[in-house]
Amino acid sequence: MAMGLQSSGRGRSKRRTPMAEINVTPFVDVMLVLLIIFMVTAPMLASAVPIELPDSRANALDQEPDQITIAVDREGFIYVDDLVVERGSFPNEVEQLGCGTADAPLITLRADRVLDYGRVMAVMGELNRAGCNRISLVTQGSAEAP
């Protein structure tokens, strides 16, 4: 079938048959644009709790697939994986994390910079009491020395 022409065996007339091919170039273009948008916005969606992190010159840690993020916002509310914890029920939530087991998850603690040291230490104390010993403190990268 050259150029979409096909001869039928019924005489001398040649008929053009429609081509049954789909042009996928626009589809591929749209998918590549969506991929780029996803790649740019995915790191920004890492945590939905708005927190102003303190600055630090510490080296970045690797992400682990089974890590649990605990965040403390400016007002002192505690979030476990972006779900707010009711006041007074944080010890019960920590018990359900399964930190006392051999395959305990990594806990990443994000706390707002305006919080007092005591509030952050109370959260870390509850984590330690439940057996969560792998705790990473998340900070904002900074080029300045303290």
Side-chain angles (χ1 to χ4, degrees):
M1 177 187 316
M3 299 287 291
L5 297 176
Q6 180 180 15
S7 67
S8 62
R10 300 184 189 164
R12 296 175 14 186
S13 67
K14 291 185 178 181
R15 295 176 31 189
R16 282 194 146 191
T17 58
M19 293 182 61
E21 296 177 6
I22 298 174
N23 187 3
V24 295
T25 304
F27 176 71
V28 171
D29 290 343
V30 169
M31 288 298 115
L32 287 175
V33 169
L34 289 175
L35 177 66
I36 291 170
I37 290 171
F38 176 74
M39 289 172 47
V40 170
T41 58
M44 291 183 244
L45 299 174
S47 180
V49 181
I51 292 178
E52 186 178 340
L53 296 171
D55 294 332
S56 173
R57 292 183 51 187
N59 294 331
L61 296 175
D62 295 332
Q63 295 283 327
E64 290 188 18
D66 62 341
Q67 71 185 16
I68 297 171
T69 302
I70 296 179
V72 185
D73 69 359
R74 183 176 294 258
E75 286 81 28
F77 291 106
I78 301 172
Y79 298 81
V80 176
D81 285 335
D82 299 334
L83 298 173
V84 68
V85 176
E86 298 294 326
R87 293 236 184 233
S89 64
F90 183 64
N92 296 334
E93 290 288 329
V94 172
E95 293 293 331
Q96 296 175 4
L97 296 179
C99 289
T101 62
D103 58 342
L106 173 67
I107 305 293
T108 56
L109 180 60
R110 303 175 73 240
D112 200 281
R113 69 177 359 165
V114 298
L115 288 174
D116 62 340
Y117 187 67
R119 180 68 175 150
V120 177
M121 286 296 104
V123 171
M124 288 185 68
E126 283 298 324
L127 290 170
N128 191 334
R129 186 187 61 76
C132 299
N133 296 324
R134 296 179 57 206
I135 303 172
S136 297
L137 301 175
V138 180
T139 60
Q140 182 71 33
S142 174
E144 298 177 14

